[in-house]
PDB file of all heavy atoms in Angstrom:
ATOM      1  N   THR G  26       0.252   8.094   1.213  1.00 94.00           N
ATOM      2  CA  THR G  26       0.247   9.472   0.728  1.00 94.00           C
ATOM      3  C   THR G  26       0.838  10.395   1.791  1.00 94.00           C
ATOM      4  O   THR G  26       1.048   9.996   2.945  1.00 94.00           O
ATOM      5  CB  THR G  26      -1.189   9.931   0.432  1.00 94.00           C
ATOM      6  OG1 THR G  26      -1.924   9.926   1.663  1.00 94.00           O
ATOM      7  CG2 THR G  26      -1.870   9.035  -0.592  1.00 94.00           C
ATOM      8  N   VAL G  27       1.094  11.635   1.417  1.00 96.00           N
ATOM      9  CA  VAL G  27       1.591  12.638   2.372  1.00 96.00           C
ATOM     10  C   VAL G  27       0.621  12.746   3.545  1.00 96.00           C
ATOM     11  O   VAL G  27       1.029  12.773   4.701  1.00 96.00           O
ATOM     12  CB  VAL G  27       1.769  14.017   1.691  1.00 96.00           C
ATOM     13  CG1 VAL G  27       2.161  15.071   2.704  1.00 96.00           C
ATOM     14  CG2 VAL G  27       2.773  13.953   0.568  1.00 96.00           C
ATOM     15  N   SER G  28      -0.660  12.771   3.255  1.00 96.00           N
ATOM     16  CA  SER G  28      -1.668  12.875   4.312  1.00 96.00           C
ATOM     17  C   SER G  28      -1.609  11.694   5.267  1.00 96.00           C
ATOM     18  O   SER G  28      -1.716  11.861   6.483  1.00 96.00           O
ATOM     19  CB  SER G  28      -3.065  12.965   3.691  1.00 96.00           C
ATOM     20  OG  SER G  28      -3.189  14.141   2.933  1.00 96.00           O
ATOM     21  N   LYS G  29      -1.427  10.509   4.716  1.00 96.00           N
ATOM     22  CA  LYS G  29      -1.337   9.310   5.558  1.00 96.00           C
ATOM     23  C   LYS G  29      -0.049   9.327   6.384  1.00 96.00           C
ATOM     24  O   LYS G  29      -0.022   8.863   7.520  1.00 96.00           O
ATOM     25  CB  LYS G  29      -1.410   8.039   4.713  1.00 96.00           C
ATOM     26  CG  LYS G  29      -2.696   7.895   3.934  1.00 96.00           C
ATOM     27  CD  LYS G  29      -3.914   7.800   4.831  1.00 96.00           C
ATOM     28  CE  LYS G  29      -5.154   7.632   3.966  1.00 96.00           C
ATOM     29  NZ  LYS G  29      -6.355   8.127   4.582  1.00 96.00           N
ATOM     30  N   ARG G  30       1.035   9.873   5.801  1.00 96.00           N
ATOM     31  CA  ARG G  30       2.283   9.969   6.565  1.00 96.00           C
ATOM     32  C   ARG G  30       2.127  10.951   7.729  1.00 96.00           C
ATOM     33  O   ARG G  30       2.670  10.732   8.808  1.00 96.00           O
ATOM     34  CB  ARG G  30       3.442  10.364   5.650  1.00 96.00           C
ATOM     35  CG  ARG G  30       3.970   9.197   4.826  1.00 96.00           C
ATOM     36  CD  ARG G  30       5.269   9.535   4.111  1.00 96.00           C
ATOM     37  NE  ARG G  30       5.094  10.479   3.021  1.00 96.00           N
ATOM     38  CZ  ARG G  30       4.670  10.153   1.801  1.00 96.00           C
ATOM     39  NH1 ARG G  30       4.364   8.911   1.499  1.00 96.00           N
ATOM     40  NH2 ARG G  30       4.557  11.079   0.867  1.00 96.00           N
ATOM     41  N   ILE G  31       1.373  12.016   7.516  1.00 97.00           N
ATOM     42  CA  ILE G  31       1.127  12.969   8.606  1.00 97.00           C
ATOM     43  C   ILE G  31       0.351  12.276   9.723  1.00 97.00           C
ATOM     44  O   ILE G  31       0.691  12.399  10.899  1.00 97.00           O
ATOM     45  CB  ILE G  31       0.391  14.225   8.092  1.00 97.00           C
ATOM     46  CG1 ILE G  31       1.348  15.061   7.232  1.00 97.00           C
ATOM     47  CG2 ILE G  31      -0.150  15.056   9.262  1.00 97.00           C
ATOM     48  CD1 ILE G  31       0.696  16.232   6.524  1.00 97.00           C
ATOM     49  N   ARG G  32      -0.676  11.532   9.363  1.00 96.00           N
ATOM     50  CA  ARG G  32      -1.440  10.780  10.370  1.00 96.00           C
ATOM     51  C   ARG G  32      -0.539   9.775  11.091  1.00 96.00           C
ATOM     52  O   ARG G  32      -0.576   9.659  12.314  1.00 96.00           O
ATOM     53  CB  ARG G  32      -2.620  10.054   9.734  1.00 96.00           C
ATOM     54  CG  ARG G  32      -3.358   9.165  10.762  1.00 96.00           C
ATOM     55  CD  ARG G  32      -4.518   8.444  10.151  1.00 96.00           C
ATOM     56  NE  ARG G  32      -5.596   9.410  10.026  1.00 96.00           N
ATOM     57  CZ  ARG G  32      -6.616   9.273   9.207  1.00 96.00           C
ATOM     58  NH1 ARG G  32      -6.711   8.222   8.432  1.00 96.00           N
ATOM     59  NH2 ARG G  32      -7.556  10.183   9.169  1.00 96.00           N
ATOM     60  N   HIS G  33       0.273   9.066  10.319  1.00 96.00           N
ATOM     61  CA  HIS G  33       1.182   8.074  10.901  1.00 96.00           C
ATOM     62  C   HIS G  33       2.162   8.745  11.873  1.00 96.00           C
ATOM     63  O   HIS G  33       2.407   8.231  12.970  1.00 96.00           O
ATOM     64  CB  HIS G  33       1.935   7.344   9.789  1.00 96.00           C
ATOM     65  CG  HIS G  33       2.927   6.354  10.265  1.00 96.00           C
ATOM     66  ND1 HIS G  33       2.572   5.187  10.916  1.00 96.00           N
ATOM     67  CD2 HIS G  33       4.286   6.358  10.213  1.00 96.00           C
ATOM     68  CE1 HIS G  33       3.671   4.518  11.243  1.00 96.00           C
ATOM     69  NE2 HIS G  33       4.723   5.220  10.816  1.00 96.00           N
ATOM     70  N   LEU G  34       2.697   9.886  11.481  1.00 96.00           N
ATOM     71  CA  LEU G  34       3.605  10.634  12.355  1.00 96.00           C
ATOM     72  C   LEU G  34       2.898  11.034  13.639  1.00 96.00           C
ATOM     73  O   LEU G  34       3.410  10.834  14.735  1.00 96.00           O
ATOM     74  CB  LEU G  34       4.128  11.885  11.645  1.00 96.00           C
ATOM     75  CG  LEU G  34       4.859  12.887  12.533  1.00 96.00           C
ATOM     76  CD1 LEU G  34       6.154  12.292  13.072  1.00 96.00           C
ATOM     77  CD2 LEU G  34       5.118  14.176  11.786  1.00 96.00           C
ATOM     78  N   ARG G  35       1.712  11.608  13.516  1.00 95.00           N
ATOM     79  CA  ARG G  35       0.956  12.056  14.693  1.00 95.00           C
ATOM     80  C   ARG G  35       0.697  10.881  15.635  1.00 95.00           C
ATOM     81  O   ARG G  35       0.876  10.994  16.850  1.00 95.00           O
ATOM     82  CB  ARG G  35      -0.367  12.692  14.252  1.00 95.00           C
ATOM     83  CG  ARG G  35      -1.199  13.189  15.422  1.00 95.00           C
ATOM     84  CD  ARG G  35      -2.487  13.806  14.962  1.00 95.00           C
ATOM     85  NE  ARG G  35      -3.349  12.927  14.200  1.00 95.00           N
ATOM     86  CZ  ARG G  35      -4.085  11.933  14.725  1.00 95.00           C
ATOM     87  NH1 ARG G  35      -4.063  11.698  16.018  1.00 95.00           N
ATOM     88  NH2 ARG G  35      -4.855  11.201  13.947  1.00 95.00           N
ATOM     89  N   GLN G  36       0.339   9.742  15.084  1.00 96.00           N
ATOM     90  CA  GLN G  36       0.090   8.557  15.906  1.00 96.00           C
ATOM     91  C   GLN G  36       1.389   8.036  16.525  1.00 96.00           C
ATOM     92  O   GLN G  36       1.398   7.598  17.677  1.00 96.00           O
ATOM     93  CB  GLN G  36      -0.608   7.480  15.084  1.00 96.00           C
ATOM     94  CG  GLN G  36      -2.020   7.869  14.709  1.00 96.00           C
ATOM     95  CD  GLN G  36      -2.668   6.936  13.706  1.00 96.00           C
ATOM     96  OE1 GLN G  36      -1.991   6.211  12.972  1.00 96.00           O
ATOM     97  NE2 GLN G  36      -4.000   6.965  13.651  1.00 96.00           N
TER      98      GLN G  36
END
Side-chain angles (χ1 to χ4, degrees):
T26 64
V27 175
S28 296
K29 299 298 181 207
R30 282 190 289 279
I31 289 173
R32 175 180 283 160
H33 178 68
L34 168 66
R35 180 180 59 75
Q36 292 170 339

